[in-house]
């Protein structure tokens, strides 16, 4: 018998999402009765606001929603997304330049597919969200990491980008607020980076999924608002997941120039067709309805953010830049490595995260999931009591 042909070499090189893996391990331990406190999840702990759920329930009674609809999204939702893009990203865009996707994640995937050619180099500021390098490789591009540490508040500079640029560089990934660091670029920093990309004809894929979750008066100015001429070489990625506590509904979108959006829509027409109509109707309600509940959730995140930053800073060996966006804190914990804690000496944050889970029953995501070792990501999208209790466990473990 001849040996079976191999499975895909390309996909064999793709790693499982590290954040989902840690989250799954924490949930399994919780299900087994262990009192694990998890800071691993990248999702709000709130219920989706009820007026959004009601809109979905109503949509279930409308037979048109039982059918295929345009692959690029319901026209009425694309109009609402155009209005939101103008409101929050300062970009006036025709709905024909929008594709509604199954979450921001599919928009990220399709954005790279639409603009990357084999051998292209994609500048990826690190620490980065774990999906980007894989999505770049799936588009036959090469991710080129540009690292910014805690000393520069995890924000790359034009000088660093310029040092990493060569004649194969075609795309820059720009994410503000950032997952995993919570960093928000100032309008001046954003403009400088946008002007640099414009000057070199580089595409920008800007992920704005956390744009409404900003604190202390910070504003995540869109790179196309900072540099309007950049609109013809920028793809904006966004979605309802984080702002409206709608991670499970799977609605995101991409906005961009006509040619690139056309390619993405063609791809989606073969890949997944239209996003679930009920979820699209829910997203429509979220974007066009009252924003009061979204604002209440933001205020709750802000309160927890201040609590976790203050408490983490009390752990010796931990440096905590103040995150101004998203719902993550990204401490530099290099001071905890190479020291013995209860008989073990972690030298990487992978080992440190294991130690923390074993000894303190606290789940955190190691920096290796987002770039270099030496950092931990903690999501503060969990209830105030658990939030405090988990950090107190860390304070005791590392006292
Ligand atoms: C930076 C960033 N972009 C996009 C997404 C995708 O979100 P979703 O696919 O749930 O809309 C996430 C989710 O964690 C994220 O953190």
């Amino acid at each position: 018998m001849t040996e079976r042909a191999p499975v895909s070499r390309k996909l064999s090189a793709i790693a499982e999402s590290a954040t989902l893996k840690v989250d799954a391990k924490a949930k399994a331990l919780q299900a087994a009765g262990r009192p694990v406190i998890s800071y691993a999840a990248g999702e709000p702990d709130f219920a989706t606001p009820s007026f959004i759920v009601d809109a979905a329930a109503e949509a279930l009674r409308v037979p048109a929603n039982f059918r295929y609809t345009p692959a690029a999204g319901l026209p009425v939702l694309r109009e609402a997304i155009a209005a939101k893009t103008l409101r929050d990203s300062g970009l006036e865009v025709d709905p024909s330049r929008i594709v509604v996707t199954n979450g921001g994640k599919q928009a990220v995937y399709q954005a790279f597919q639409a603009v990357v050619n084999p051998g292209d180099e994609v500048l990826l500021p690190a620490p980065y969200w774990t999906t980007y390098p894989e999505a770049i490789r799936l588009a036959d591009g090469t991710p080129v990491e540009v690292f910014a540490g805690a000393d520069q508040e995890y924000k790359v500079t034009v000088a660093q980008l310029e040092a990493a640029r060569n004649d194969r560089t075609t795309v820059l990934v720009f994410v503000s607020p950032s997952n995993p660091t919570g960093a928000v670029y100032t309008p001046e920093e954003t403009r400088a980076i946008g002007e640099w990309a414009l000057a070199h004809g580089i595409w920008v894929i800007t992920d704005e999924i956390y744009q409404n979750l900003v604190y202390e008066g910070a504003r995540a100015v869109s790179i196309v608002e900072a540099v309007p001429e950049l609109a013809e070489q920028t793809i904006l990625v966004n979605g309802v997941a984080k702002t409206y506590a709608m991670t499970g509904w799977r609605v995101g979108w991409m906005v961009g120039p006509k040619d690139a959006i056309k390619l993405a829509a063609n791809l989606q027409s073969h890949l997944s067709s239209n996003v679930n109509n009920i979820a699209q109707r829910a997203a429509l309600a979220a974007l066009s309805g009252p924003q009061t509940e979204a604002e209440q959730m933001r205020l709750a995140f802000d309160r927890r953010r201040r609590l976790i930053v203050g408490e983490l800073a009390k752990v010796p060996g931990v440096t905590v830049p103040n995150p101004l966006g998203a719902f993550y804190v990204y401490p530099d914990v290099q001071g905890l490595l190479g020291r013995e804690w209860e008989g073990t000496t972690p030298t990487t944050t992978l080992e440190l995260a294991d130690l923390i889970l074993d000894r303190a029953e606290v789940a955190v995501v190691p920096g290796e999931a987002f770039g270099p070792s030496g950092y931990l990501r903690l999501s503060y999208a969990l209830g105030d009591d658990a939030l405090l209790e988990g950090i107190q466990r860390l304070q005791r473990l590392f006292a």
Side-chain angles (χ1 to χ4, degrees), residues 42 103-105 129 132 175 179 207 209-210 241-242 247 250 328:
K105 209 172 236 183
W129 181 46
Y132 301 131
V175 190
N179 175 6
D207 186 336
I209 202 150
Y210 295 101
K242 315 289 179 175
T247 47
R250 313 307 305 136
Y328 308 103

Side-chain angles (χ1 to χ4, degrees), residues 116-355:
V116 173
N117 285 296
D120 283 356
E121 293 192 0
V122 178
L123 297 186
L124 179 60
Y128 48 76
W129 181 46
T130 172
T131 288
Y132 301 131
E134 307 299 12
I136 294 165
R137 287 191 195 100
L138 285 168
D140 297 323
T142 305
V144 175
E145 293 179 28
V146 181
F147 179 72
D151 54 331
Q152 51 189 100
E153 294 173 333
Y154 304 118
K155 295 188 281 191
V156 295
T157 62
V158 167
Q160 286 180 293
L161 295 174
E162 182 57 18
R165 185 178 68 85
N166 61 38
D167 56 9
R168 292 181 301 282
T169 308
T170 58
V171 186
L172 165 71
V173 179
F174 185 74
V175 190
S176 173
S178 150
N179 175 6
T181 67
V184 178
Y185 285 79
T186 65
E188 296 72 31
E189 290 163 344
T190 304
R191 183 163 6 94
I193 290 174
E195 283 172 353
W196 170 84
L198 185 68
H200 298 290
I202 291 175
W203 279 99
V204 178
I205 295 182
T206 184
D207 186 336
E208 304 191 330
I209 202 150
Y210 295 101
Q211 76 180 165
N212 298 119
L213 293 172
V214 283
Y215 316 107
E216 296 185 27
R219 189 168 163 243
V221 171
S222 177
I223 200 158
V224 289
E225 183 171 345
V227 183
E229 308 90 302
L230 204 58
E232 280 305 308
Q233 61 195 69
T234 302
I235 297 184
L236 296 85
V237 169
N238 213 322
V240 291
K242 315 289 179 175
T243 307
Y244 301 102
M246 291 179 72
T247 47
W249 295 78
R250 313 307 305 136
V251 184
W253 57 86
M254 57 197 296
V255 180
K258 220 170 149 191
D259 51 354
I261 286 298
K262 177 75 183 135
L263 300 188
N266 289 351
L267 170 62
Q268 183 164 313
S269 75
H270 294 294
L271 196 63
S272 54
S273 301
N274 65 274
V275 172
N276 177 316
N277 293 321
I278 310 303
Q280 288 197 68
R281 291 279 164 190
L284 174 63
L287 293 182
S288 44
Q291 302 297 303
T292 28
E293 282 165 87
E295 175 60 8
Q296 280 159 6
M297 292 191 271
R298 189 191 69 83
L299 291 172
F301 287 138
D302 188 23
R303 191 181 64 239
R304 296 163 178 187
R305 180 185 66 93
R306 282 182 269 121
L307 178 67
I308 195 167
V309 169
E311 291 301 315
L312 265 180
K314 294 181 190 163
V315 181
V318 171
T319 310
V320 202
N322 189 31
L324 291 181
F327 38 65
Y328 308 103
V329 56
Y330 205 66
D332 177 336
V333 294
Q334 293 177 74
L336 297 178
L337 300 178
R339 286 160 66 178
E340 190 189 317
W341 307 103
E342 300 178 0
T344 19
T345 308
T347 55
T348 64
T349 31
L350 270 175
E351 291 168 2
L352 186 71
D354 270 345
L355 173 96

